[in-house]
């Protein structure tokens, strides 16, 4: 497996779909239905902030996961 930093908001938004859907099911009062365009724009905005790092996992040529690292307080301010 290879883990590397990514700036590809499209890949992150696609990988985020299943996680987002789980949040919608568990917390419908806090999360809206997944909307690729809205999520993509959000990640593009957050990626411009150097306080956040997006890591993308790749195994045998397939993207298998993503991790966002950043300060929780800063993340709340970015939403």
């Amino acid at each position: 497996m290879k883990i590397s930093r990514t700036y590809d908001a499209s890949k992150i938004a696609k990988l985020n779909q299943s996680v987002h859907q789980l949040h919608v099911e568990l917390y419908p009062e806090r999360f809206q239905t997944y909307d690729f365009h809205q999520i993509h724009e959000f990640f593009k905005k957050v990626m411009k902030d150097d306080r956040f790092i997006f890591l993308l996992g790749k195994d045998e040529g397939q993207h298998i996961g993503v991790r966002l690292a950043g300060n929780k307080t800063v993340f709340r301010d970015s939403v």
Side-chain angles (χ1 to χ4, degrees), residues 14-25 31 66:
K14 287 176 188 172
L15 286 168
N16 178 257
Q17 184 174 4
S18 61
V19 174
H20 186 92
Q21 185 57 40
L22 180 61
H23 284 90
V24 169
E25 291 170 15
F31 289 86
V66 63

Side-chain angles (χ1 to χ4, degrees), residues 25-37:
E25 291 170 15
L26 294 172
Y27 308 102
E29 69 282 356
R30 293 186 181 180
F31 289 86
Q32 298 175 3
T33 303
Y34 180 85
D35 177 296
F36 176 81
H37 178 73

